[in-house]
Amino acid sequence: MKYISTRGQAPKINFSDTLITGLASDGGLYLPENYPQLSTESLEKLRDLSYPDLAFAIMKLFIDENDIPHNDLKVIINKTYTKEKFSYTRECQDSKDITPLTKVDNHLYLLSLSNGPTLAFKDIAMQFLGNIFEYLLHKKNKALNILGATSGDTGSAAEYAMIGKKGVNVFMLSPRGKMSPFQTAQMYSLHDNNIFNISIDGFFDDCQDIVKGVSNDLEFKDKNQIGAVNSINWGRIIAQVVYYFKGYFSSTRSSDELIDVTVPSGNFGNICAGHISRMMGLPIRKLIVATNENDVLDEFFKTGAYKPRASDDTYHTSSPSMDISKASNFERFVFDLIDRDPEKLRSLWKKIDQGESFDLSNTGYFGKVSNYGFTSSSSSHQNRLHFIKLLHEKYNLIIDTHTADGFKAAFDHFDQSEEIPMVVLETALPTKFEETVMEAIKLKPPRPDGLSNIEQLPQRSFEIENDINQVKQFIESHS
Ligand SMILES: *Cc1c(COP(=O)(O)O)cnc(C)c1O
């Protein structure tokens, strides 16, 4: 299996190189040359597998034996998806499922994805990435300095995945004083030698601009072996494909049944994995994109116009991990939508990269969006409060603000009488966004054991001005 860039001007590479490279040299994103196809019979054979065995069965379809020997892949997967690492589930303390499914109502389900160390779905992919990076760097006798920017969840998931990994340092930029106390504590309470929290005097966008600036300095990047684990990394997408299969098998009895899936979305990484599962033959009828007030994706799926907004026009909402107005992974879906025409894709993204927009409404392409199952909804702070309250009062479940956006969208599209399972993906545990949950239900959501006093632990961060040169100096002197 080779990987091609959506923009068609970068060499084809194998799986392991997509992990280290991240963005293709032509600015595009990597996708497999084709999607492996699974028939109803082959799906049926996967139905009863444990999570790690399912992960192996799916991921090996995307990875050549001579790139990563499949026995090694199996070891990495078995080391990643353990009960110990993914143990924080509220209902299923002993679940071996990794991503347990809860029945909410007839034909309505919640797929828990937030049982990893940082209590958000990003752990599922990031923990895998941490282990496979360590393996690859050891094999290639290389080291890597991972540079990233975070507004909260990505940074902690990356750091918890890279703690103690040989050959890897993490330099994570975060905006000083702009994250929730829990998120800050999760990151800054880490004192490991290979983790550097850089607290920038500025906003998230300033942090992201510094990261982009450093990555565009190819000489510096090469010399200092700078890598990234952001959401365009193919390794993250492929790890996320697995739980769509798991959710499908848990909510159906035979592999000719259809399901609908609702996904709280920001950078389109999570739902992109849903798209790929569907392209592989997983019987998903609808893929419902849930956005918050930052609704550029909802606008596209309703009108055909994709109009990313500048960071100044991005709202700060109570589901902050979805406060994104330019969805990086959306390029992967559009590539498939326009029949994988790289020239056409380049002309569309030329506009996006210049800060403009594109509109497919008058092309044949927009009519085909529904062939891919996509539909969407957006939600507001009031909607979030309503659905957190509803789920608690009616179903005795406490959900976080992002998952609440998911339920808002799911109910917009759910028709119980159709008897088609609606699976809502849970993207974080409520304790991460305690303030809004308390506003809705006047109750403090439960916290996993061991995290109750996290805000009181000693914190370490390196304070740096909003200045790219100072960040570069810091990396050079600490790597
Ligand atoms: C990252 C994140 C999202 C958005 O996921 P994408 O893959 O960027 O679409 C939603 N909810 C939570 C809690 C997140 O951390």
Side-chain angles (χ1 to χ4, degrees):
M1 175 74 75
K2 289 279 185 221
Y3 288 82
I4 54 170
S5 165
T6 48
R7 304 202 188 174
Q9 294 180 321
K12 289 183 193 178
I13 59 177
N14 59 24
F15 176 81
S16 59
D17 290 325
T18 68
L19 301 192
I20 306 289
T21 312
L23 203 65
S25 56
D26 59 0
L29 309 191
Y30 282 109
L31 274 173
E33 259 180 324
N34 48 60
Y35 297 118
Q37 296 298 309
L38 294 171
S39 63
T40 310
E41 295 74 51
S42 37
L43 281 176
E44 209 47 35
K45 292 198 187 103
L46 304 178
R47 174 168 288 277
D48 297 319
L49 296 183
S50 68
Y51 194 95
D53 288 350
L54 179 64
F56 178 64
I58 291 170
M59 287 197 210
K60 73 176 202 253
L61 303 173
F62 290 90
I63 305 170
D64 290 339
E65 173 79 32
N66 63 9
D67 179 20
I68 298 177
H70 287 176
N71 278 333
D72 293 357
L73 178 69
K74 199 169 177 57
V75 171
I76 294 164
I77 288 173
N78 287 343
K79 185 175 152 185
T80 304
Y81 297 110
T82 64
K83 197 175 135 180
E84 289 66 38
K85 274 280 178 214
F86 292 89
S87 60
Y88 290 137
T89 328
R90 44 189 156 196
E91 294 88 5
C92 319
Q93 289 296 344
D94 290 323
S95 173
K96 288 190 291 294
D97 277 355
I98 307 298
T99 61
L101 187 84
T102 305
K103 183 171 176 180
V104 177
D105 200 335
N106 286 334
H107 313 296
L108 180 64
Y109 299 90
L110 176 69
L111 185 66
S112 293
L113 304 176
S114 330
N115 308 322
T118 74
L119 318 185
F121 85 98
K122 292 190 173 69
D123 286 326
I124 293 182
M126 212 65 99
Q127 288 288 324
F128 170 70
L129 218 55
N131 286 326
I132 201 158
F133 265 49
E134 186 177 49
Y135 165 85
L136 289 174
L137 293 172
H138 176 75
K139 203 162 104 173
K140 297 181 194 230
N141 198 14
K142 276 191 178 166
L144 198 65
N145 289 310
I146 291 171
L147 175 66
T150 187
S151 57
D153 290 340
T154 306
S156 56
E159 291 180 357
Y160 281 75
M162 301 298 166
I163 293 174
K165 295 280 184 271
K166 291 180 213 74
V168 184
N169 289 317
V170 180
F171 296 91
M172 190 57 65
L173 276 50
S174 53
R176 192 172 310 156
K178 311 284 188 316
M179 298 180 290
S180 80
F182 183 90
Q183 289 177 315
T184 308
Q186 263 192 324
M187 292 174 55
Y188 292 9
S189 65
L190 295 177
H191 298 264
D192 303 76
N193 290 332
N194 69 330
I195 307 288
F196 300 96
N197 280 301
I198 302 180
S199 155
I200 295 286
D201 185 14
F203 292 90
F204 169 67
D205 296 313
D206 299 317
C207 300
Q208 199 159 37
D209 285 345
I210 294 178
V211 170
K212 277 187 200 144
V214 174
S215 307
N216 288 337
D217 180 346
L218 296 181
E219 198 187 320
F220 181 88
K221 193 179 164 191
D222 240 30
K223 185 165 155 244
N224 293 284
Q225 294 165 306
I226 303 289
V229 290
N230 48 17
S231 85
I232 55 108
N233 197 296
W234 173 252
R236 288 180 61 180
I237 306 279
I238 185 67
Q240 291 170 179
V241 165
V242 178
Y243 56 69
Y244 283 84
F245 281 79
K246 189 74 188 168
Y248 176 78
F249 294 132
S250 309
S251 61
T252 57
R253 260 174 269 145
S254 81
S255 301
D256 49 9
E257 293 174 40
L258 287 167
I259 66 166
D260 292 339
V261 186
T262 301
V263 189
S265 295
N267 240 330
F268 210 75
N270 193 348
I271 202 161
C272 182
H275 163 67
I276 288 161
S277 317
R278 195 176 179 279
M279 298 297 279
M280 292 170 72
L282 193 68
I284 296 175
R285 183 181 63 163
K286 285 189 228 164
L287 275 169
I288 300 154
V289 182
T291 74
N292 63 20
E293 291 89 335
N294 296 296
D295 56 358
V296 285
L297 290 169
D298 184 41
E299 184 177 6
F300 172 79
F301 287 105
K302 292 210 161 86
T303 69
Y306 180 52
K307 301 185 200 158
R309 293 180 200 139
S311 42
D312 288 347
D313 301 322
T314 303
Y315 302 107
H316 292 278
T317 75
S318 47
S319 45
S321 302
M322 290 159 51
D323 289 348
I324 290 170
S325 294
K326 196 193 243 179
S328 330
N329 281 290
F330 186 55
E331 180 170 339
R332 287 190 158 110
F333 165 65
V334 172
F335 185 58
D336 284 339
L337 180 69
I338 60 172
D339 305 320
R340 297 196 151 204
D341 176 350
E343 211 173 310
K344 174 84 189 155
L345 190 113
R346 283 203 300 279
S347 77
L348 294 176
W349 253 266
K350 194 171 167 202
K351 293 184 192 155
I352 299 302
D353 290 340
Q354 288 169 350
E356 294 166 21
S357 57
F358 63 73
D359 187 349
L360 298 182
S361 62
N362 291 322
T363 70
Y365 298 123
F366 186 57
K368 293 201 307 183
V369 164
S370 56
N371 300 352
Y372 289 87
F374 276 98
T375 179
S376 68
S377 273
S378 68
S379 105
S380 66
H381 183 70
Q382 285 312 318
N383 293 143
R384 279 189 281 286
L385 295 179
H386 172 79
F387 281 95
I388 292 171
K389 208 160 166 242
L390 178 86
L391 269 283
H392 183 240
E393 283 174 359
K394 193 160 171 203
Y395 303 110
N396 200 24
L397 279 172
I398 306 183
I399 55 169
D400 96 291
T401 51
H402 307 77
T403 309
D405 291 331
F407 273 99
K408 153 70 169 62
F411 275 105
D412 283 348
H413 296 270
F414 181 51
D415 179 353
Q416 212 160 27
S417 68
E418 289 183 322
E419 305 193 350
I420 290 185
M422 168 67 80
V423 178
V424 180
L425 304 194
E426 172 205 66
T427 55
L429 288 192
T431 193
K432 285 199 101 164
F433 304 95
E434 207 168 78
E435 208 178 297
T436 309
V437 175
M438 288 175 72
E439 185 184 341
I441 58 172
K442 319 282 178 267
L443 261 179
K444 218 179 166 97
R447 260 198 202 178
D449 296 342
L451 292 179
S452 50
N453 290 321
I454 192 166
E455 290 95 336
Q456 272 78 52
L457 296 177
Q459 298 192 357
R460 177 179 87 148
S461 67
F462 300 89
E463 301 200 349
I464 292 188
E465 279 168 46
N466 180 11
D467 172 12
I468 183 166
N469 289 319
Q470 292 192 26
V471 172
K472 282 182 178 171
Q473 270 168 21
F474 184 88
I475 295 172
E476 276 185 319
S477 57
H478 289 86
S479 58

